[in-house]
Amino acid sequence: MTETVVVIGPGQIGQAIARRVGVGKHVLLADARRENAEAAADVLSSAGYEVSVATVDVSRRSDVQALVQQATALGDVTGVVHAAGVSPSQAPIEAILRVDLYGTALVLDAFGAVIARGGSGVVIASQSGHRLGPLTTEQNKALATTPVEELLGLPFLAPGQVSDTLHAYQLSKRGNVLRVAAEAVRWAKRGARINAISPGIIMTPLARDELNGPRGEGYRRMIDATVERRAGTPDEVASVAALMMGADGAFITGSDVLMDGGVTAAYWYGELAPK
């Protein structure tokens, strides 16, 4: 039977990962804007990949369930790449929590019920989650294990508790990593694996929005703090994803790889440390 790889958010990172893990498989590209999925499909199909497209709003359960049905109709789902999200400069607090936190939990829950034995997945989180101060043990467990439909009702996510869009983004991305760890236990029962990657500044349209937004100066300082004084590339993220999703990464699950050129280290212990 055909193997299917689902790529949710087929932007630059999603496409780069699809090129590495989608060879010989059916690649289903899903985006909130169908034209984005179709543009990515044109590129990949021209390069020899078998591709279909779908429209999905990850913050809507009905959309995610429809995507699961479309994917399973194509074949055994052996790969899930979740690279969709919004940044602090792109959306208000409520939208960030709903898309980046709730949406990720919903995708993991839905595809965790159908992932094939031997399958694997990767969630694109963010270095931002690593720069959030420590949460309590209870908060960590709540982000990791609260039922999906109750997640946004957690007291520390209530209006007035989240200070700004950056705080919402950091909470969401910390939540992604915690959720992956908890979901890895459930995915293991199906003989499948799930991991996260927390990239630093990767040169994508989202990163350009941030560089040109109100936090642009801070972004440029972070780039200067990296080992090579540059932003990362989607292909570098894809190389890590291919390792984690492939046979060479078969002993890796429930994990998160921080790949930011050393920015988080500089934030906690170096020149980027808060004064």
Side-chain angles (χ1 to χ4, degrees):
M1 190 172 183
T2 300
E3 292 185 27
T4 302
V5 174
V6 182
V7 179
I8 304 170
Q12 296 299 315
I13 292 175
Q15 288 181 52
I17 297 174
R19 285 179 177 273
R20 284 166 172 76
V21 304
V23 176
K25 302 175 183 179
H26 194 114
V27 181
L28 175 57
L29 304 174
D31 196 274
R33 297 181 179 178
R34 191 173 186 86
E35 61 268 26
N36 292 345
E38 290 174 344
D42 285 344
V43 173
L44 290 174
S45 61
S46 295
Y49 292 83
E50 185 179 3
V51 185
S52 294
V53 300
T55 305
V56 63
D57 177 349
V58 296
S59 69
R60 294 173 59 90
R61 178 171 286 275
S62 59
D63 278 22
V64 174
Q65 289 294 349
L67 181 63
V68 169
Q69 292 173 8
Q70 183 175 347
T72 54
L74 292 169
D76 291 333
V77 178
T78 58
V80 178
V81 178
H82 183 54
V86 292
S87 77
S89 294
Q90 292 177 322
I93 290 172
E94 295 78 10
I96 291 171
L97 292 174
R98 187 152 191 88
V99 173
D100 291 356
L101 180 62
Y102 169 84
T104 299
L106 181 56
V107 165
L108 290 173
D109 181 64
F111 279 97
V114 301
I115 188 73
R117 177 164 294 276
S120 58
V122 66
V123 170
I124 303 303
S126 171
Q127 64 175 354
S128 277
H130 289 263
R131 292 206 300 278
L132 180 69
L135 299 176
T136 67
T137 301
E138 292 75 17
Q139 288 172 327
N140 283 339
K141 186 174 182 180
L143 287 172
T145 64
T146 297
V148 177
E149 297 306 324
E150 300 173 18
L151 190 56
L152 295 180
L154 291 173
F156 59 95
L157 300 180
Q161 297 299 308
V162 182
S163 57
D164 52 34
T165 58
L166 178 59
H167 187 204
Y169 188 72
Q170 290 176 330
L171 282 166
S172 297
K173 296 304 180 179
R174 176 72 62 81
N176 292 168
V177 171
L178 292 166
R179 202 83 189 182
V180 161
E183 282 287 335
V185 177
R186 188 167 70 99
W187 284 45
K189 294 176 181 177
R190 297 185 61 87
R193 300 180 295 109
I194 181 68
N195 289 292
I197 300 174
S198 291
I201 300 176
I202 307 299
M203 198 45 63
T204 64
L206 184 149
R208 284 194 290 272
D209 283 348
E210 290 299 319
L211 281 166
N212 295 317
R215 279 173 287 275
E217 183 179 351
Y219 259 58
R220 286 183 284 274
R221 287 185 65 221
M222 284 192 285
I223 290 173
D224 288 341
T226 65
V227 175
E228 298 187 3
R229 296 186 179 277
R230 64 170 175 84
T233 67
D235 284 338
E236 289 174 302
V237 180
S239 293
V240 175
L243 167 66
M244 299 177 88
M245 293 182 71
D248 288 342
F251 205 57
I252 309 172
T253 192
S255 297
D256 171 50
V257 172
L258 171 64
M259 52 174 306
D260 66 354
V263 168
T264 299
Y267 176 84
W268 288 111
Y269 308 111
E271 62 269 28
L272 294 182
K275 299 297 187 286

